[in-house]
Amino acid sequence: MKIWQKIFITTLIIVTCVMIILGCTLVNQQFQDDLLHRMEQGKIENNSIWQDLEKFMAEQKSDILLDDEDFLFHIERYLDEELATKSGILLVLNDFQKDYSNHYYRGILENLNEKLDNRKGAEDDFCEILKFDDRYYVIFVSNSKLYSRSLCYIMEYDITDIYEKYHRQMMNVQIYCAVLGISSAVCLLVIIKSSLRPIRKLQDNIHNIAEGNYGKKIVVKGNNELSILAEDVNRMSNQIKKNMDEKERMLESRRLFIGDMAHEMKTPLTSILGFSDILSIRRNLPEEKRWEYSEYIYKEADRLKKMSGKLMELIQYDGKNIEKKPIKLQELLQEVIEKEAYIWKNKDINFKSHLCDAIIEGDADLIKSLIINLVDNAVKASSVGSDVEISMKRILENEKHFIVVSVKDNGIGIPEQEIEKILEPFYRVDKSRSKKEGGAGLGLTLCMEIIKLHNGKLTIESEVGKGSTFFCRFQEVCL
Amino acid sequence: MQNRKKNILIVEDDDSIAHMIEAALIMGNYESSICDNGVLALELIQKQTYDLVLLDVMLPGMDGFTIIEKIENRDVAVIFITAKQEVSDRVRGLKLGADDYIVKPFDAMELLARIEAVLRRCGTNSETEEGKVQYGSIMIDESRHEVRLENKIVALTPKEYEVFLYFLHNQNIVIRKERLIAKVWGYDYEGESRTVDTHIQNLRKKLQLKDALVTIPKIGYCLKGELDL
């Protein structure tokens, strides 16, 4: 069952029930009060009639006190002429076995087979509500003596009106409750339906998202739960779109990378294929030529080997999560300068260092690889015998401590428009120089990957003819 | 018949590839020069006569296709070298007036085959002139498709003739079976490779080439140069 239907029916039932109960209780309360009140009135009338009778008898001549016939005569006269009441009265004279009633008397007690005799002579007064002929009466029965004659005095007091009132009120209550219940349920239904209308919009939009259309935004007016939900759905849809776009971008860049890679391989392969073909099919090849061609093959194959090695490194870093351990940067840099520097000894580079004591978090081997790559680039760009400077600096930014490692060379520099591109895979500013030095164009791409893995930042400053400086910024860790 | 060697200009910036092409051209008996940029190439074409230009269209800093256009004004045959396999690039070059293209990576024989085809088309290939070629005691009259051994006509089937002619034009070069099949029977040939062996055997018998037409194991066949006989 749908939510709105549930709400509607539940409200209808609850409100109606509650109101009926409330109403009935009130009406009942009212009825009880009325009844009590009427009974009191009845009792008063009962007493007053009796007193009236006594007064009447007292006004007659004194011989009635002695004469039974007179007594009875006057009783009858009273009942026929003097009694001014609408209630039914019965006087039972026990000694004489005679009853006298006014014409309002209906004999309800007898008709209902109540043992009148039980009532006669009883000491207590008695009153009871009885129904007769669709009307309600209070029957008052009392036993008394009038001028030493015992009497049983019965009054039928009509209280139908309060019952009528009761029934009327009950009916009204029911009608009002039903009407109120239905109208409040209908009102609630209208409110619910209009409040839930945005859900339709949300449903449609989420359906779209499921189908892959992330673009559309939902607008829900107001400041309620649904508008907040709509905002969240919009945000979610945006995020999904962003993620999809990001994935698409990554796929595209991967596609491009593979394309570039295949392309890059063609160059060394052309020489290798060509020379090896010639070596195998030429019958008479002079020795020097044989050596020359074989050397070309070897050099180009070696280039491919280096490229393959760098590519494997790059793939390793893709999506990797590194173990974060503290690294003593100063020691690491010193190690590079002292122990690894032999690979650059051909160029007789003068290494200068300005180091300070600092610790960063990450993978020591990767950072070493990064520094070696940067220094390698610096050495390649420099002329024989020049300086390469490695420094560390502490800076404070936005209340966070950073360590900036910089590698500075005084070499050929990078033209301004090329600075952005050099981080791209396989990009080289000067192809021929790079080939001579044995580069594959992947070094800086690798450096960027390592820096990214360490949540660092790379900045490059360079001037053609003067040199370049590469700045790597990492967050400092205080132990 | 001793025509001058054809002169080919190699425009290629990659040092190894340039030398590889040079080595292949030496093998094909061409003269060559290497130049590594387009501006210089255009100058050289003005100053000297070249029969063919081999142009790498991906020289740094210049649009290879523009150079094709400029060269075309000079009436020199052009084969452009491209690394891209996209049809659009190849079509573009050809539309701009190049005579053929070759895609990296390529081997020496493939390059030589294309050069030969272009030069023949441009009508500067002297080997189609009615020439008589001599090989030891064998005389070949190409205009008549006639082969004589010690002045007696030898009956060769058309394919045998073509195979022999191919070896004749590529002396001292080992010819791989696949290349022979492609050249003589066509690239779609699906027959047995025994066919080649049979033809070689027949040629050896008919033209007494047992010592001259040698088998190089695992590679192919080679007709020793006349001077080495």
Side-chain angles (χ1 to χ4, degrees):
Chain A
M1 196 194 279
K2 294 206 169 160
I3 294 180
W4 67 264
Q5 286 169 342
K6 259 196 223 166
I7 294 178
F8 175 72
I9 291 182
T10 316
T11 312
L12 186 61
I13 293 176
I14 291 179
V15 167
T16 313
C17 285
V18 163
M19 296 208 62
I20 285 183
I21 292 172
L22 210 66
C24 289
T25 312
L26 280 173
V27 167
N28 263 319
Q29 197 89 332
Q30 180 73 36
F31 174 69
Q32 296 300 329
D33 286 348
D34 281 348
L35 203 59
L36 271 171
H37 190 247
R38 276 314 233 120
M39 300 271 270
E40 284 305 310
Q41 280 186 327
K43 278 199 191 126
I44 290 169
E45 187 167 321
N46 199 21
N47 284 338
S48 90
I49 290 176
W50 182 257
Q51 281 165 7
D52 204 42
L53 177 62
E54 281 182 332
K55 203 172 98 183
F56 176 75
M57 297 303 262
E59 282 166 5
Q60 307 307 312
K61 296 186 197 147
S62 52
D63 43 328
I64 59 159
L65 298 168
L66 303 161
D67 194 27
D68 289 340
E69 271 191 43
D70 278 339
F71 181 75
L72 293 173
F73 174 73
H74 284 302
I75 294 271
E76 204 172 351
R77 210 165 62 87
Y78 176 75
L79 282 173
D80 288 337
E81 291 160 23
E82 297 294 326
L83 187 58
T85 178
K86 284 256 171 84
S87 310
I89 305 285
L90 177 73
L91 293 167
V92 180
L93 291 123
N94 300 321
D95 305 330
F96 302 98
Q97 311 255 322
K98 270 190 177 230
D99 311 335
Y100 293 97
S101 61
N102 69 352
H103 55 253
Y104 285 114
Y105 184 73
R106 291 163 188 81
I108 295 173
L109 272 185
E110 289 110 320
N111 279 336
L112 294 177
N113 276 331
E114 294 284 321
K115 293 235 170 83
L116 192 56
D117 308 322
N118 288 346
R119 303 292 175 253
K120 292 185 206 163
E123 299 243 331
D124 322 336
D125 286 349
F126 163 86
C127 73
E128 194 178 309
I129 301 172
L130 294 172
K131 183 174 174 187
F132 180 75
D133 223 9
D134 285 332
R135 295 188 77 90
Y136 292 83
Y137 300 92
V138 186
I139 315 287
F140 292 96
V141 180
S142 43
N143 291 292
S144 188
K145 275 193 186 294
L146 186 63
Y147 292 114
S148 21
R149 281 120 176 141
S150 75
L151 277 172
C152 183
Y153 166 37
I154 298 173
M155 179 168 110
E156 295 169 347
Y157 188 56
D158 192 324
I159 56 167
T160 313
D161 58 328
I162 59 170
Y163 278 83
E164 276 172 356
K165 180 178 169 193
Y166 172 66
H167 286 133
R168 215 176 38 245
Q169 282 185 332
M170 275 307 231
M171 181 102 95
N172 283 343
V173 157
Q174 282 165 28
I175 293 175
Y176 290 154
C177 285
V179 166
L180 219 66
I182 290 175
S183 51
S184 65
V186 166
C187 274
L188 192 62
L189 185 66
V190 167
I191 293 176
I192 289 173
K193 279 243 140 176
S194 67
S195 302
L196 291 185
R197 209 182 306 132
I199 287 198
R200 208 31 332 196
K201 269 198 248 173
L202 277 170
Q203 271 181 327
D204 287 337
N205 209 297
I206 292 180
H207 188 74
N208 273 337
I209 293 176
E211 299 264 299
N213 309 328
Y214 308 113
K216 271 175 79 184
K217 272 198 157 200
I218 328 171
V219 177
V220 173
K221 284 176 253 181
N223 195 9
N224 54 32
E225 295 92 334
L226 285 179
S227 60
I228 295 176
L229 181 62
E231 262 178 51
D232 283 337
V233 168
N234 281 338
R235 225 175 289 140
M236 178 186 79
S237 163
N238 261 343
Q239 191 62 39
I240 292 178
K241 185 163 199 295
K242 254 201 280 177
N243 286 350
M244 293 301 299
D245 287 342
E246 182 64 36
K247 285 254 154 70
E248 193 54 48
R249 252 196 305 270
M250 275 181 59
L251 273 176
E252 185 59 35
S253 85
R254 189 155 300 170
R255 243 176 265 143
L256 280 171
F257 183 81
I258 292 178
D260 284 341
M261 190 177 83
H263 192 83
E264 280 300 309
M265 287 171 62
K266 286 188 189 178
T267 303
L269 275 177
T270 307
S271 327
I272 293 173
L273 192 59
F275 280 122
S276 51
D277 189 31
I278 295 171
L279 280 174
S280 59
I281 65 178
R282 266 198 75 169
R283 238 190 100 247
N284 298 333
L285 196 59
E287 284 268 292
E288 319 86 62
K289 286 293 175 191
R290 187 166 63 78
W291 289 330
E292 186 190 322
Y293 298 172
S294 310
E295 184 58 21
Y296 272 115
I297 294 175
Y298 178 78
K299 265 211 320 248
E300 294 299 318
D302 192 51
R303 194 157 284 134
L304 273 178
K305 178 182 120 177
K306 287 205 180 94
M307 193 198 299
S308 150
K310 286 242 156 85
L311 282 171
M312 290 314 296
E313 266 191 81
L314 204 58
I315 289 173
Q316 270 183 359
Y317 298 156
D318 197 16
K320 188 177 167 168
N321 276 323
I322 50 163
E323 247 185 86
K324 294 221 163 113
K325 292 203 183 126
I327 304 171
K328 294 193 184 149
L329 259 187
Q330 188 174 19
E331 279 178 28
L332 191 145
L333 290 173
Q334 226 136 36
E335 203 188 305
V336 169
I337 297 170
E338 285 159 22
K339 294 198 191 155
E340 308 284 339
Y342 69 88
I343 51 180
W344 300 303
K345 68 173 191 293
N346 288 343
K347 277 213 153 173
D348 200 20
I349 298 291
N350 187 17
F351 285 105
K352 291 195 179 150
S353 59
H354 307 279
L355 307 174
C356 62
D357 201 4
I359 299 191
I360 62 169
E361 240 181 11
D363 184 317
D365 286 327
L366 290 181
I367 298 289
K368 200 161 159 202
S369 198
L370 165 70
I371 301 296
I372 291 180
N373 251 305
L374 290 176
V375 174
D376 195 49
N377 279 349
V379 168
K380 283 192 185 135
S382 305
S383 40
V384 176
S386 49
D387 295 340
V388 167
E389 209 176 295
I390 305 172
S391 344
M392 282 170 65
K393 199 168 72 168
R394 200 178 259 115
I395 62 166
L396 183 65
E397 202 182 278
N398 292 340
E399 295 177 24
K400 288 200 205 143
H401 288 269
F402 294 97
I403 291 287
V404 179
V405 179
S406 58
V407 176
K408 182 173 175 353
D409 68 70
N410 300 315
I412 59 173
I414 310 164
E416 200 181 313
Q417 63 267 34
E418 312 269 350
I419 292 185
E420 288 174 10
K421 298 195 214 162
I422 56 173
L423 297 174
E424 287 169 25
F426 303 118
Y427 191 84
R428 275 150 283 179
V429 178
D430 183 350
K431 262 200 175 157
S432 54
R433 181 185 70 84
S434 167
K435 275 196 77 174
K436 250 191 278 172
E437 304 277 5
L442 289 171
L444 280 176
T445 313
L446 279 168
C447 291
M448 261 323 277
E449 283 301 309
I450 298 175
I451 291 176
K452 261 195 260 176
L453 283 171
H454 288 78
N455 294 324
K457 208 167 95 163
L458 176 71
T459 10
I460 306 169
E461 274 174 22
S462 181
E463 204 182 320
V464 176
K466 296 250 176 84
S468 320
T469 315
F470 282 72
F471 298 94
C472 307
R473 192 186 82 166
F474 301 101
Q475 198 157 1
E476 185 178 7
V477 163
C478 308
L479 285 181
Chain B
M1 223 179 8
Q2 286 298 320
N3 283 300
R4 64 163 178 90
K5 278 188 183 179
K6 302 288 184 236
N7 196 7
I8 298 181
L9 177 64
I10 305 169
V11 188
E12 169 63 63
D13 72 309
D14 185 287
D15 179 66
S16 307
I17 297 179
H19 280 100
M20 184 275 279
I21 298 175
E22 188 186 49
L25 293 180
I26 291 175
M27 195 166 77
N29 213 20
Y30 298 101
E31 292 278 336
S32 59
S33 332
I34 297 176
C35 141
D36 70 356
N37 74 77
V39 174
L40 185 58
L42 288 168
E43 275 180 39
L44 287 171
I45 292 170
Q46 306 253 14
K47 286 198 213 132
Q48 300 174 344
T49 25
Y50 291 100
D51 296 283
L52 181 84
V53 175
L54 287 169
L55 171 68
D56 183 338
V57 288
M58 288 191 297
L59 297 172
M62 48 188 72
D63 180 22
F65 294 107
T66 327
I67 303 175
I68 293 179
E69 279 181 298
K70 294 211 174 123
I71 293 178
E72 268 317 286
N73 298 337
R74 305 293 308 149
D75 200 29
V76 185
V78 174
I79 295 179
F80 65 96
I81 306 170
T82 173
K84 290 196 195 166
Q85 306 229 285
E86 285 146 31
V87 182
S88 52
D89 260 35
R90 296 185 260 154
V91 167
R92 192 175 160 208
L94 292 171
K95 278 198 170 158
L96 285 170
D99 295 274
D100 202 356
Y101 64 87
I102 189 166
V103 181
K104 282 193 250 187
F106 50 84
D107 62 45
M109 293 303 282
E110 193 185 332
L111 178 64
L112 289 176
R114 279 182 203 262
I115 292 173
E116 192 188 334
V118 167
L119 288 176
R120 201 181 325 129
R121 249 185 283 138
C122 294
T124 58
N125 197 331
S126 60
E127 290 175 67
T128 51
E129 284 169 19
E130 51 218 66
K132 298 197 165 94
V133 186
Q134 178 145 9
Y135 182 83
S137 39
I138 304 171
M139 275 278 256
I140 305 99
D141 187 344
E142 291 197 53
S143 54
R144 291 201 216 141
H145 279 239
E146 211 176 71
V147 178
R148 289 170 186 267
L149 175 63
E150 283 154 9
N151 227 357
K152 283 195 226 127
I153 293 182
V154 179
L156 293 177
T157 70
K159 287 282 184 273
E160 282 167 4
Y161 177 76
E162 277 190 56
V163 170
F164 180 54
L165 219 55
Y166 188 60
F167 276 110
L168 210 58
H169 292 153
N170 290 291
Q171 292 171 38
N172 276 330
I173 294 176
V174 181
I175 307 296
R176 295 193 172 88
K177 264 197 203 161
E178 305 84 55
R179 184 148 287 284
L180 197 57
I181 290 177
K183 176 78 181 163
V184 175
W185 280 271
Y187 284 95
D188 295 336
Y189 184 69
E190 301 238 339
E192 294 233 351
S193 70
R194 302 299 296 148
T195 314
V196 173
D197 300 325
T198 322
H199 280 69
I200 302 286
Q201 298 288 39
N202 291 343
L203 279 174
R204 281 179 178 152
K205 248 190 279 178
K206 291 183 185 177
L207 296 173
Q208 290 178 15
L209 291 171
K210 281 202 189 74
D211 296 323
L213 188 50
V214 294
T215 306
I216 309 295
K218 293 201 179 142
I219 307 183
Y221 298 102
C222 180
L223 182 66
K224 285 192 199 170
E226 216 188 338
L227 308 165
D228 299 335
L229 286 178

